[in-house]
Amino acid sequence: MALPTTPSFRLDGKRALVTGASSGIGQACAAALGEAGAHVVAAARRVDKLKETVGEIAEHGGSAEVLAFDQADLDDMTAALIAQAPFDIVLNSAGIARHGPAAETMPEDYDAVMNVNLRGAYFLSVGAAKGMMKSGRGGSIIHISSQMGHVGGQERAVYCATKFGVEGMVKAMAIEWAAHRIRINTICPTFVMTDFTRKAFEDPERRAWIMDKIKLDRPAEVEDIMGAAVYLASDASAMITGTSLLVDGGWTAG
């Protein structure tokens, strides 16, 4: 009797768009997909930082290029996507936060966070899916969401609203696009040690709250997200769509 063979985690011959690739989780995911064999199109607003990411991927034997666009500007993003060949993998790590008490939220802060985290994510998904439908190859769309798409958080009402929105959006899109062999999922990290979260860890009270919630007793590092990204991008997750991969150290377990 022949034993079954594990599906490949390799991404050779695949084209992968990674947004938010200039730093933090996005940069780490770009590196991970490049290491797995994908040609990475690294996207963000900061071209100088993107060039550093692309250079590092190339130094490690990977293939990558820069694509500059602003995910909050739908015209800019749409034009950039139309000019590109269809992608096999799209990983969205672009995101912003303007934390503060819900009662003090200003409309301009609400709009700024919504425009990137939810509106931008929605139409990036739509643009990516149209390309995948056109190619006939299907593909994998991955959003870096958050554990805050599953629970509430202190002074994070707007941020939670965007991430809960992404979680619902992904479920609906998964149903619509499955017939085209397009999978769409989220990765939901806990607090990851990046420039984005550093202020939270510098506040003793906030740090104590975070560490009390993370059952594995440490914040995440970007490396903790890289394997999840490769998994959801690869054939190893071929039967997974419309769901969340929680990389939260047990935060949402209870």
Side-chain angles (χ1 to χ4, degrees):
M1 181 183 71
L3 292 174
T5 302
T6 303
S8 177
F9 286 77
R10 293 293 304 172
L11 303 174
D12 303 284
K14 304 287 188 181
R15 280 172 47 80
L17 173 66
V18 180
T19 69
S22 58
S23 63
I25 293 172
Q27 185 179 61
C29 289
L33 299 184
E35 185 180 352
H39 173 73
V40 175
V41 178
R45 292 175 299 167
R46 297 183 295 175
V47 175
D48 55 336
K49 292 293 184 181
L50 286 176
K51 288 179 178 178
E52 291 178 13
T53 300
V54 165
E56 287 289 330
I57 291 172
E59 281 188 24
H60 287 82
S63 173
E65 63 181 276
V66 168
L67 178 63
F69 66 76
D70 182 356
Q71 193 158 305
D73 184 335
L74 293 189
D75 291 338
D76 187 34
M77 180 176 69
T78 300
L81 291 175
I82 289 173
Q84 289 282 319
F87 294 100
D88 304 290
I89 301 155
V90 172
L91 188 147
N92 172 39
S93 186
I96 65 170
R98 295 186 182 180
H99 299 317
E104 298 175 11
T105 301
M106 300 301 293
E108 55 267 31
D109 294 325
Y110 179 94
D111 290 344
V113 179
M114 283 285 174
N115 282 345
V116 176
N117 293 8
L118 186 54
R119 185 170 179 258
Y122 188 103
F123 287 103
L124 176 67
S125 300
V126 169
K130 286 180 177 178
M132 291 172 180
M133 291 174 193
K134 184 177 179 180
S135 75
R137 299 192 301 268
S140 176
I141 301 171
I142 306 160
H143 289 281
I144 302 299
S145 179
S146 172
Q147 65 188 16
M148 297 300 174
H150 297 264
V151 295
Q154 297 178 4
E155 299 187 349
R156 280 166 167 74
V158 176
Y159 187 76
C160 285
T162 65
K163 295 305 184 180
F164 270 81
V166 167
E167 295 299 315
M169 170 193 91
V170 162
K171 291 183 184 301
M173 289 175 173
I175 294 167
E176 290 190 30
W177 297 341
H180 300 280
R181 294 187 297 118
I182 297 170
R183 299 185 297 107
I184 181 167
N185 296 286
T186 65
I187 298 172
C188 297
T190 186
F191 284 80
V192 181
M193 289 296 289
T194 66
D195 291 339
F196 192 63
T197 61
R198 202 164 305 281
K199 283 186 179 179
F201 286 102
E202 290 172 352
D203 180 332
E205 184 177 340
R206 188 57 53 81
R207 182 183 179 90
W209 172 69
I210 293 169
M211 297 313 299
D212 180 62
K213 296 285 189 180
I214 300 176
K215 307 305 185 292
L216 290 178
D217 200 32
R218 69 169 177 86
E221 302 288 347
V222 293
E223 290 83 356
D224 294 311
I225 314 303
M226 294 168 77
V230 173
Y231 173 63
L232 288 177
S234 74
D235 289 342
S237 62
M239 198 61 179
I240 297 177
T241 194
T243 194
S244 308
L245 180 49
L246 285 147
V247 187
D248 68 350
W251 185 299
T252 59

